[in-house]
Amino acid sequence: MPEPAPELLTKYRRDLHRIPEVDFDLPQTLAYVRSVLQPLAAADKRISVFSPCRSTLCCLFNRGSEHATAIRTDMDALPVTERSGAAFASEHPGRMHACGHDGHMAMALGLAQHLALHMDELPRSVLVVFQPAEETTGGAKVVCQTGVFEQHHVDRIFGFHLWPDLPKGQVASRPGGLLAASNETTVTITGRASHIAKAADGRDSLEAGARFLLDAYRYMDERAAEEPCLLKFGHATSGSVRNQISAQTVLEGSLRTFSLAMGQRCRAELPQIAARDAEALGCTATVHFSEGYPPVVNDPALFGLVEAALPELARVPEPLLIAEDFAWYQQWLPGVFLLLGTGTGIPLHADTFNFDEAILMRGLQTYERLVRIP
């Protein structure tokens, strides 16, 4: 078996790009990944392929070491209709690998091929994790709860995400906070309907919602002066007709924070603002925050080892407001998450998302050095 070449990684990526699947429903993707990994296990009894939980595959390269390194990749796609024009475009209507997970899998499969060739050179065992549902409910947490890391003595984990805003092929990260915690936020304000000609008989939930929106944004600007954080609402509904005071207003948005303390503070104080603004107009308010993902916080000590192994590693100057369920792994064990530049500027989740597959070799080469850190 030869070393994985750029052509092989391109094949993996394009094959997987054609069969995007979402959430935990990944039968074709799992079959493809297993078809690559199973022959490696058949050829070497130190390699095993197993599923610790639903729609998850792990490949263990067992060196019999005291500790193991984990590599994580995600497999799910998005409910997006592809308009990239690529010759290898999605064959599944309404689904697309628009976030680079096909590239993530290609790098991990290439790494598995490399590890099989170099088992005797590895300083420690390696567990490669292929997980579902990064884009939806956070499949990483389910993997962690299985105990697979404790069972195989994993004491560190690494992962990658393609990143359009970095130069093509550049690998970057930062110690500490890298990506934000995400809490989907729903504010419901309830008032009383009345004809606008008798507005005094109503309780204007729309005005209360407008007041809250502006007060919440001012509050978040004050918090952002202390540390990076953000709350924005992208969807709102209110009322039913133009000449009636609205009885209910619903604002839907997302809260992003980088520390558990700031997240807790915002989730405690924003409902107080909503209640105050609603009460001023005779309305009531409820604020619901989803559990969401914790912040991605790179372990400083492990990051130091990564920088020593990757002298070309660029530092991201400020934390980024995107969320990633890799954060759940970092709640269980030290981890470092890295970004791999595509250089295209095409946003993640865009229906035109694409990239030059040459960057995948850069990601693979980075993984090869990370698994060799003692």
Side-chain angles (χ1 to χ4, degrees):
M1 181 174 62
E3 285 285 347
E7 296 77 16
L8 181 62
L9 269 61
T10 295
K11 172 179 165 51
Y12 289 156
R13 185 262 167 148
R14 295 187 179 189
D15 287 350
L16 290 161
H17 190 88
R18 290 186 176 98
I19 56 169
E21 297 169 300
V22 297
D23 199 33
F24 285 89
D25 187 19
L26 310 171
Q28 286 184 273
T29 305
L30 286 163
Y32 187 94
V33 171
R34 189 181 291 276
S35 75
V36 176
L37 299 178
Q38 204 65 58
L40 305 181
D44 190 329
K45 64 181 181 181
R46 296 172 297 177
I47 303 172
S48 57
V49 179
F50 60 95
S51 178
C53 54
R54 178 187 174 197
S55 300
T56 300
L57 276 180
C58 290
C59 190
L60 177 66
F61 298 82
N62 188 357
R63 289 283 291 131
S65 57
E66 182 180 359
H67 297 292
T69 295
I71 299 295
R72 170 272 199 163
T73 188
D74 34 17
M75 296 186 289
D76 58 321
L78 288 157
V80 170
T81 298
E82 181 163 2
R83 294 183 175 86
S84 69
F88 49 89
S90 168
E91 297 173 357
H92 294 170
R95 288 175 283 173
M96 177 189 175
H97 272 296
C99 202
H101 295 188
D102 50 347
H104 302 169
M105 287 186 281
M107 291 189 294
L109 290 173
L111 176 65
Q113 298 270 13
H114 172 82
L115 293 173
L117 290 170
H118 298 276
M119 281 285 289
D120 295 330
E121 302 170 18
L122 300 177
R124 45 170 47 217
S125 300
V126 178
L127 180 71
V128 185
V129 179
F130 294 79
Q131 69 146 87
E134 189 279 327
E135 299 287 0
T136 52
T137 55
K141 187 176 184 181
V142 179
V143 176
C144 293
Q145 291 172 333
T146 66
V148 67
F149 298 126
E150 293 85 352
Q151 180 182 354
H152 297 289
H153 311 291
V154 175
D155 66 350
R156 64 178 66 149
I157 188 166
F158 301 110
F160 253 123
H161 206 299
L162 301 189
W163 205 253
D165 298 330
L166 289 171
K168 185 171 73 172
Q170 183 179 82
V171 177
S173 190
R174 70 191 308 271
L178 175 66
L179 305 178
S182 173
N183 299 99
E184 302 307 294
T185 305
T186 303
V187 181
T188 303
I189 299 175
T190 303
R192 185 169 68 214
S194 72
H195 194 283
I196 62 169
K198 295 185 177 181
D201 294 340
R203 298 292 180 266
D204 195 338
S205 72
L206 180 55
E207 182 180 350
R211 288 188 184 189
F212 168 75
L213 182 73
L214 296 176
D215 287 345
Y217 283 0
R218 280 191 288 268
Y219 168 82
M220 291 304 300
D221 286 343
E222 293 170 359
R223 301 290 75 74
E226 302 170 25
E227 66 179 71
C229 57
L230 178 76
L231 171 68
K232 289 293 180 184
F233 292 94
H235 185 252
T237 57
S238 186
S240 56
V241 293
R242 70 178 66 223
N243 62 345
Q244 184 182 67
I245 296 298
S246 171
Q248 186 177 79
T249 296
V250 179
L251 305 175
E252 295 175 326
S254 186
L255 173 68
R256 302 292 170 98
T257 54
F258 287 97
S259 71
L260 295 177
M262 182 60 77
Q264 291 169 353
R265 180 178 179 183
C266 292
R267 293 195 300 274
E269 295 179 353
L270 285 165
Q272 296 173 10
I273 297 171
R276 181 194 69 205
D277 288 340
E279 185 179 358
L281 292 168
C283 301
T284 59
T286 60
V287 181
H288 177 264
F289 299 99
S290 70
E291 179 184 23
Y293 301 162
V296 171
V297 180
N298 288 330
D299 182 81
L302 184 58
F303 189 86
L305 297 178
V306 170
E307 278 198 311
L310 305 173
E312 76 282 10
L313 182 70
R315 282 211 179 192
V316 178
E318 297 290 339
L320 303 164
L321 286 165
I322 196 170
E324 232 286 352
D325 81 339
F326 187 85
W328 285 117
Y329 297 113
Q330 295 173 319
Q331 301 292 302
W332 259 256
L333 66 159
V336 169
F337 198 59
L338 304 122
L339 307 176
L340 175 60
T342 69
T344 64
I346 303 172
L348 301 176
H349 293 205
D351 58 11
T352 56
F353 184 80
N354 206 346
F355 58 91
D356 182 348
E357 288 118 337
I359 66 172
L360 299 177
M361 282 302 294
R362 185 61 174 271
L364 171 56
Q365 291 159 2
T366 301
Y367 272 149
E368 290 173 3
R369 283 189 276 170
L370 292 176
V371 298
R372 284 173 168 78
I373 298 175

